[in-house]
Amino acid sequence: MASQLQPVRGTHDLLPDSYNQHHRVIESASAVARLYGFARMDTPIFEFSEVFHRAVGDTSDIVTKETYTFTDRGGESITLRPEFTAAIVRSFISNGLQQNLPFKAFYAGPAFRYERPQKGRLRQFHQIGAELLGAAEPMADVELIALGMQTLSVLGLKDSVTLEINSLGDAESRAAYRDALVAYLSQHEAKLSEDSKMRLAKNPLRILDSKDAGDREIIAGAPTLHAYFNEASTTHFAKVKAGLDALGIAYKVSEKLVRGLDYYSHTVFEITTDKLGAQGTVLAGGRYDGLVKLMGGQDVAGIGFAAGVERLVALMDSNVAAAKPVATVIPMSEAAEAEGWKLAQLLRAEGIATDIAYKGNGKKRFERANKMGAAFAVIIGDDELSNGTVTLKNLTAGTQETIARDALVEKLR
Ligand code: ATP
Ligand code: MG
């Protein structure tokens, strides 16, 4: 049995330093999303299992192998969210938001998948993402991709990543292709992985997304989807590419790119890096025009993406400065202690980050001030106490001056 004092496998603590980076990713992404008109929202971290099972698809890896599903005390089947899209669409429908389109949402928070933990692959991880509902136009695909790329730029990752796009066409094109694909794969059925054999009947397109090496060899010879596109599918994809070209967004078309979820149509995209080993996809998304209807809503088009916060953090420079106190209050005597706490309280009330040690002599307290990276030491000894002053020491420059206690707040601002 696992020790009770270890975190559960595949989960991790966000200690203050890593929390800073994590937070910076979310805040930066959220600010970029606002520039594009996407407002932040959140949904509960669990839903009725049906929300994910119906949306993500019963043949997807996520639902067949990765969900945390349990029966609660009331007998309901509950699933911890493995991704946000289905939950946001559920929320969009149950809150009656279908009247005011387009609906643009940004989100950030934890997601849960029972995966084999490894570098960049956790059981509780965090995603940021955006969903755009109610715009079927190819420019909506372009806008989402632009948002994803700008988010990575703001995080300083532009030169570390590549944008790959593909189109899965519309339902009609995929149906035509499906037949051709099944005919081809059936000839190689014996050599397919067990998962893929199961998918052959249920959802053959998903085989194209298999990570099994043997499957990948067979897939290399498969007919390509684009040869089966109808005019609407061809036109949509051409407009997306033209839109990206017009905005100067570089991309690579990758016909083998199919996404792991069942609900995609037309555009799918991934932003990948070669710097994170096997876990190289940092951001992924696509169009899901049938999903709202599938989940019981109106026929509303949708497109979105999600990015893994841990993978983004792993790509970023690790030296995000932790927040440092502006001032450290240093009482030099027992008598000055109470006044020191009053001063610290005053500074904090004025919005000035202030540290004060619980105990220790003057020397120890100066050491702590330097270790915490405080900019100033506010020193009160017996003289300062009786004169109504403090000695303010600039810890970077090493200079110090005596000032009236009333002048301290102004001075530190
Ligand atoms: P992968 O192919 O790596 O399994 P996925 O296709 O399952 O990814 P999505 O469902 O598209 O991933 O999720 C979007 C993003 O969330 C991924 O690109 C990745 O950055 C991140 N992500 C997904 N699963 C995990 C995980 N278990 N741990 C950490 N990050 C993850
Ligand atoms: Mg996965």
Side-chain angles (χ1 to χ4, degrees), residues 62 66 113 115 121 211:
I62 293 182
E66 298 175 0
R113 297 184 192 177
E115 302 210 63
R121 195 173 290 288
K211 291 183 178 107

Side-chain angles (χ1 to χ4, degrees), residues 10 61-62 66 82-83 107 111-116 118-128 209 211 258-261 263-264 270-271 278-285 305-312:
D61 278 354
I62 293 182
E66 298 175 0
E83 55 115 37
Y107 62 78
F112 306 84
R113 297 184 192 177
Y114 193 81
E115 302 210 63
R116 191 168 70 76
Q118 50 197 296
K119 192 165 175 287
R121 195 173 290 288
L122 297 153
R123 289 182 175 174
Q124 175 174 340
F125 61 103
H126 297 78
Q127 286 189 332
I128 51 170
D209 195 32
K211 291 183 178 107
V258 286
R259 302 272 313 125
L261 311 182
Y263 51 55
Y264 287 112
E270 284 193 352
I271 301 179
Q279 272 59 254
T281 307
V282 289
L283 183 150
F305 69 74
V309 176
E310 285 81 1
R311 291 186 196 178
L312 292 170

Side-chain angles (χ1 to χ4, degrees), residues 216-278:
R216 298 233 56 91
E217 251 173 61
I218 298 168
I219 294 160
T224 71
L225 173 59
H226 291 210
Y228 293 81
F229 272 10
N230 59 18
E231 202 189 320
S233 299
T234 306
T235 308
H236 187 100
F237 195 42
K239 284 186 175 165
V240 171
K241 287 185 286 186
L244 291 171
D245 291 339
L247 298 189
I249 297 172
Y251 58 87
K252 214 173 86 191
V253 174
S254 165
E255 284 204 31
K256 291 274 150 40
L257 175 67
V258 286
R259 302 272 313 125
L261 311 182
D262 283 357
Y263 51 55
Y264 287 112
S265 59
H266 289 297
T267 315
V268 290
F269 53 97
E270 284 193 352
I271 301 179
T272 57
T273 177
D274 52 18
K275 297 187 175 147
L276 293 179

Side-chain angles (χ1 to χ4, degrees), residues 184-185 188-193 213-222:
Y184 168 80
L185 291 174
H188 302 274
E189 188 172 353
K191 283 189 266 161
L192 285 172
S193 68
D215 287 353
R216 298 233 56 91
E217 251 173 61
I218 298 168
I219 294 160

